[in-house]
């Protein structure tokens, strides 16, 4: 008979590894599918200066290595493999099914922690200069652009928030937005307009990011979306803030998602629409999207799952005996 795991965790950012740590310490020996690109969005960042406990800062990949090591130390079983399909039992009358390729795994509880991805512009130079001038997180990287000419791309609340933060460091912040109307709330727009070194540049898109000297960003080519005219901006920092996409395709049709594709959880818990399936981190979070908040909800998911196993005892030997 196939083993039924107490817990399978899908994802390996701060939420996934924190859930793994807590479940491992509860002796649940969680099976963690950390994926081939383990570590989540922090693997793409340089210095992380806002994660509590590291007063000198720490680079993102090193922080994720600590998360990983700590969960493993207490018995989390890490599989560097991608989950390819899931089939959850809607009423938890059967164990939940998780496939990695042809390998089927059964579980009493599943924690979803696949995170989100920064939406990409998809223009030449963006990928090549990522980490060398192009960034997706002003909160993380603004301090590296002291007195620099910079741009923020986007017209939503994130773009305004990032611009206001970046403007404390940079010499100039041009907010490049493709329309004359902004999606950002009036209050955020007003705040941005009041900052003297922020300029709203519309209606423009970025055609290309360029490194003219050496290997770091020096210029952006802009195109007017109405009259097609072009212009060039000299910049050393560009922050893309055009939204996030939760990585929820794997579970679409299995748990409830909201209109933007985020997994819906019940109240302040991490419980999804399916008993025994929990979700944490950026997969759920529209708003905060910080490593520390993702870690916090990973902890909540582990505790919610632990309590569920204790109270519902799905497929435990006691439950089987009671059914017999
Ligand atoms: P958003 O509201 O979806 O805005 C994304 C912006 O990026 C839009 O202006 C959009 O332009 C632009 N955009 C999208 N794809 C683009 C592309 N390929 N090229 C150029 N521009 C593109 O996303 P968000 O700003 O990340 O906000 C997400 C949610 O979090 C919102 O509900 C927001 O209110 C909330 N939030 C709130 C706060 C706060 O209250 N302090 C802070 C941050 C976020 P179009 O408008 O033309 O579509």
């Amino acid at each position: 008979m196939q083993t039924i795991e107490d817990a399978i965790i899908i994802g390996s950012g701060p939420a996934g590894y924190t859930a793994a740590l807590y479940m491992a310490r509860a002796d649940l020996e969680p099976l963690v599918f950390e994926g081939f690109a383990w570590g989540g969005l922090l693997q793409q960042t340089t210095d992380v200066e806002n994660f509590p406990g590291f007063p000198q800062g720490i680079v993102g990949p090193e922080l994720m290595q600590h998360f990983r090591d700590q969960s493993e130390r207490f018995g989390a079983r890490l599989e560097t493999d991608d989950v390819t399909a899931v089939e959850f039992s809607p009423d938890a009358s059967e164990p939940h099914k998780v496939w990695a390729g042809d390998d089927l795994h059964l579980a009493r509880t599943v924690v979803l922690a696949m995170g989100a991805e920064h939406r990409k512009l998809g223009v030449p130079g963006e990928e090549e200069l990522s980490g060398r001038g192009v960034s997706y997180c002003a909160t993380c990287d603004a301090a590296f652009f002291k007195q620099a000419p910079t741009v923020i791309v986007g017209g939503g609340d994130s773009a305004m928030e990032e611009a206001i933060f970046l403007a404390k460091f940079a010499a100039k912040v041009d907010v490049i937005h493709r329309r004359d109307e902004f999606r950002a709330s009036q209050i955020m727009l007003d705040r941005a307009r009041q900052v003297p070194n922020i300029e709203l540049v519309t209606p423009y898109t970025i055609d290309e990011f360029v490194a003219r000297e050496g290997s770091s960003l020096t210029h952006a080519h802009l195109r007017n979306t109405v009259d097609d005219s072009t212009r060039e901006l000299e910049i050393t920092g560009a922050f893309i803030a055009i939204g996030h996409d939760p990585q929820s395709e794997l579970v679409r049709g299995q748990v409830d998602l909201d209109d933007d594709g985020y997994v819906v959880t019940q109240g302040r818990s991490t419980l999804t629409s399916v008993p025994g399936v929990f979700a944490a981190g950026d997969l759920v979070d529209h708003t905060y999207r910080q490593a520390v908040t993702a870690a916090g909800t990973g902890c909540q998911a582990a505790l919610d799952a632990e309590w569920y196993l204790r109270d519902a005892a799905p497929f435990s030997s006691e439950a089987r005996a009671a059914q017999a």
Side-chain angles (χ1 to χ4, degrees), residues 266-283:
Q266 297 176 19
R268 296 181 63 194
S269 79
T270 60
L271 184 60
T272 68
S273 54
V274 176
V277 179
F278 305 85
D282 286 4
L283 187 66

Side-chain angles (χ1 to χ4, degrees), residues 119-122 153-162 176-179 181-185 187-188 191 204-206 240-244 260 262 286-287 289:
R119 199 171 290 154
K120 308 283 188 304
L121 272 175
V153 186
D157 281 336
S158 292
M160 298 309 136
E161 194 171 68
E162 300 254 290
I176 315 292
H177 179 43
R178 61 187 177 185
R179 297 185 295 133
E181 295 78 36
F182 285 87
R183 195 177 290 270
S185 55
I187 187 164
M188 294 296 286
R191 277 186 200 153
Y204 280 93
T205 52
I206 303 273
I240 320 289
I242 60 170
H244 285 77
D260 297 320
Y262 289 85
H286 286 253
T287 314
R289 296 194 292 251

Side-chain angles (χ1 to χ4, degrees), residues 53-319:
F54 296 92
Q56 306 306 321
I58 181 166
V59 291
E62 194 183 341
L63 179 60
M64 291 323 299
Q65 187 70 55
H66 285 323
F67 269 89
R68 189 174 192 262
D69 292 346
Q70 197 175 357
S71 70
E72 208 170 21
R73 179 181 153 210
F74 291 102
R77 292 170 296 145
L78 307 182
E79 288 279 343
T80 310
D81 208 350
D82 286 322
V83 170
T84 49
V86 296
E87 191 182 312
F88 299 143
S89 172
D91 56 0
S93 57
E94 301 281 330
H96 301 303
K97 295 176 180 157
V98 173
W99 281 269
D102 292 335
D103 295 335
L104 168 65
H105 301 266
L106 304 177
R108 297 178 174 89
T109 66
V110 177
V111 172
L112 306 175
M114 292 90 78
E117 271 204 320
H118 298 293
R119 199 171 290 154
K120 308 283 188 304
L121 272 175
V123 298
E126 180 182 12
E127 198 179 329
E128 297 84 330
L129 296 173
S130 177
R132 289 184 283 134
V134 175
S135 166
Y136 296 85
C137 178
T139 320
C140 320
D141 296 338
F144 304 117
F145 294 89
K146 287 201 175 93
Q147 294 311 311
T150 60
V151 297
I152 295 270
V153 186
D157 281 336
S158 292
M160 298 309 136
E161 194 171 68
E162 300 254 290
I164 294 163
F165 187 79
L166 180 60
K168 292 177 188 153
F169 300 86
K172 175 91 193 294
V173 181
D174 285 319
V175 177
I176 315 292
H177 179 43
R178 61 187 177 185
R179 297 185 295 133
D180 287 329
E181 295 78 36
F182 285 87
R183 195 177 290 270
S185 55
Q186 195 57 46
I187 187 164
M188 294 296 286
L189 206 49
D190 289 346
R191 277 186 200 153
R193 284 195 170 117
Q194 279 162 18
V195 179
N197 58 338
I198 292 180
E199 188 179 337
L200 304 180
V201 180
T202 65
Y204 280 93
T205 52
I206 303 273
D207 267 356
E208 185 175 9
F209 292 111
V210 181
R212 204 157 284 165
E213 302 125 26
S215 59
S216 294
L217 177 70
T218 57
H219 294 81
H221 294 160
L222 273 56
R223 177 176 299 277
N224 187 303
T225 58
V226 174
D227 63 18
D228 230 24
S229 62
T230 58
R231 59 188 273 202
E232 186 174 89
L233 267 187
E234 212 170 299
I235 49 165
T236 56
F239 292 84
I240 320 289
I242 60 170
H244 285 77
D245 294 317
Q247 304 211 74
S248 57
E249 274 314 300
L250 180 72
V251 295
R252 187 174 288 280
Q254 297 286 320
V255 296
D256 286 353
L257 306 181
D258 69 13
D259 291 344
D260 297 320
Y262 289 85
V263 173
V264 176
T265 51
Q266 297 176 19
R268 296 181 63 194
S269 79
T270 60
L271 184 60
T272 68
S273 54
V274 176
V277 179
F278 305 85
D282 286 4
L283 187 66
V284 176
D285 180 7
H286 286 253
T287 314
Y288 302 105
R289 296 194 292 251
Q290 299 298 302
V292 68
T293 52
T297 56
C299 162
Q300 284 177 262
L303 295 176
D304 284 342
E306 228 180 291
W307 296 329
Y308 171 83
L309 285 168
R310 181 194 65 196
D311 297 338
F315 317 106
S316 63
S317 44
E318 294 83 0

